[in-house]
């Protein structure tokens, strides 16, 4: 009879091996998907005024969030296949300078008013890297495509 520690040892060895990240291109992004790794250039970055929260229910936003209001920016990012709007939050805003190249790890696609937006939450990572040697294809803007949810009855 094996001890529980001995039985768990082979499983920990198998899980410690990390898979190589698979990088995708902007044109392959689809609505409501996640786990994307991309290398993109920042074309434009616009700060967005944070809304809501302060006067709801009689509480101030400072009591709910001790760090203060969230900083948001909408950034147009892309690669040679297309571009998409990226929603940068808090410290991500500082990294998204126009002209810089960033690696987005474990990014997800959120839907906002029927259009795709790229985002990286607490499970992902944004890192600035050395400049890439491609030009962003702004003709193929995936955030300009409007999607509609259709329920199919069987």
């Amino acid at each position: 009879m094996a001890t529980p520690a001995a039985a768990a040892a082979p499983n920990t060895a198998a899980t410690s091996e990390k898979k190589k990240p698979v990088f995708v291109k902007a044109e392959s992004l689809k609505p409501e998907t996640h786990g994307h790794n991309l290398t993109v250039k920042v074309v434009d970055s616009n700060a967005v005024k944070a809304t809501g929260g302060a006067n709801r229910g009689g509480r101030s936003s400072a009591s709910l969030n001790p760090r203060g209001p969230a900083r948001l920016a909408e950034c147009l990012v892309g690669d040679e296949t297309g571009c998409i709007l990226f929603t940068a939050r808090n410290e991500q805003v500082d990294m998204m300078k126009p002209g810089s190249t960033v690696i987005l790890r474990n990014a997800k696609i959120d839907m906002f008013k029927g259009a795709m937006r790229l985002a990286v939450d607490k499970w992902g990572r944004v890192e600035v890297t050395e400049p890439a040697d491609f030009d962003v294809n702004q003709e193929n803007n995936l955030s300009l495509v409007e999607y509609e949810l259709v329920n199919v009855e069987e």
Side-chain angles (χ1 to χ4, degrees), residues 45-116:
S45 179
N46 296 314
V48 177
K49 183 180 176 191
T51 60
N55 294 326
R56 294 185 194 166
R59 292 185 181 183
S60 68
S61 61
S63 65
L64 298 175
N65 187 357
R67 296 177 297 199
R71 294 187 317 156
L72 291 175
E74 284 187 345
C75 310
L76 186 64
V77 300
D79 58 22
E80 66 273 11
T81 64
C83 59
I84 188 168
L85 280 174
F86 174 78
T87 305
R89 290 177 171 81
N90 299 325
E91 60 273 352
Q92 295 173 356
V93 174
D94 299 328
M95 295 184 221
M96 305 303 284
K97 302 283 185 234
S100 63
T101 303
V102 294
I103 296 175
L104 306 175
R105 296 189 187 271
N106 201 20
K108 63 179 182 170
I109 300 293
D110 290 329
M111 298 303 290
F112 178 73
K113 295 184 180 178
M116 293 194 305

